[in-house]
Amino acid sequence: VLNSGSYAASSSISHLSRTNKAGMDFAQLLRGPGSFGGILYANGLECVPRPGNTTPGNTPYFNGGFTTKKYGSYSSGVIDAIQVEFRYSYRDTPAQRAKAANAVAKTLDEFTSAVW
């Protein structure tokens, strides 16, 4: 369903869904093993969406911040944006912040290397 209709076109990763060098379709890019969330989870942080946890259940997704909507490829262009929100337990202590920051840095490296 995600690969049909206008889901990809109305996403802040619309451009990336058409141009990623890994050849992932939109659904894979959004919540597959090689997605940002899939890699982030493999690096130790719980997240949504990712394989095995594709929706936030009854809780709605955040609808995106100003920067994501304004500058992500949602409306046009070639700059993609991914919004990340961290639960309190990932930022409540210096050790947890360091763990989360390291996981995000590793994820960014792995994800961008795979798709660009």
Side-chain angles (χ1 to χ4, degrees), residues 29-76:
L29 190 63
L30 184 65
R31 60 187 191 188
S35 67
F36 186 84
I39 297 170
L40 188 62
Y41 181 70
N43 285 325
L45 295 183
E46 181 60 52
C47 59
V48 174
R50 65 161 173 85
N53 192 5
T54 57
T55 71
N58 294 330
T59 305
Y61 280 111
F62 289 109
N63 63 3
F66 172 80
T67 303
T68 304
K69 285 186 175 181
K70 176 77 173 167
Y71 300 107
S73 60
Y74 165 77
S75 58
S76 66

Side-chain angles (χ1 to χ4, degrees), residues 3-17:
N3 290 326
S4 63
S6 62
Y7 292 107
S10 63
S11 169
S12 65
I13 58 170
S14 177
H15 180 260
L16 190 58
S17 72

Side-chain angles (χ1 to χ4, degrees), residues 40-112:
L40 188 62
Y41 181 70
N43 285 325
L45 295 183
E46 181 60 52
C47 59
V48 174
R50 65 161 173 85
N53 192 5
T54 57
T55 71
N58 294 330
T59 305
Y61 280 111
F62 289 109
N63 63 3
F66 172 80
T67 303
T68 304
K69 285 186 175 181
K70 176 77 173 167
Y71 300 107
S73 60
Y74 165 77
S75 58
S76 66
V78 298
I79 298 175
D80 296 289
I82 297 174
Q83 179 172 332
V84 180
E85 303 275 343
F86 291 95
R87 63 184 185 196
Y88 184 69
S89 64
Y90 288 156
R91 52 190 169 85
D92 64 342
T93 67
Q96 284 299 100
R97 286 190 295 276
K99 177 183 173 186
N102 287 329
V104 170
K106 186 174 181 190
T107 298
L108 282 169
D109 182 49
E110 293 174 22
F111 181 71
T112 57

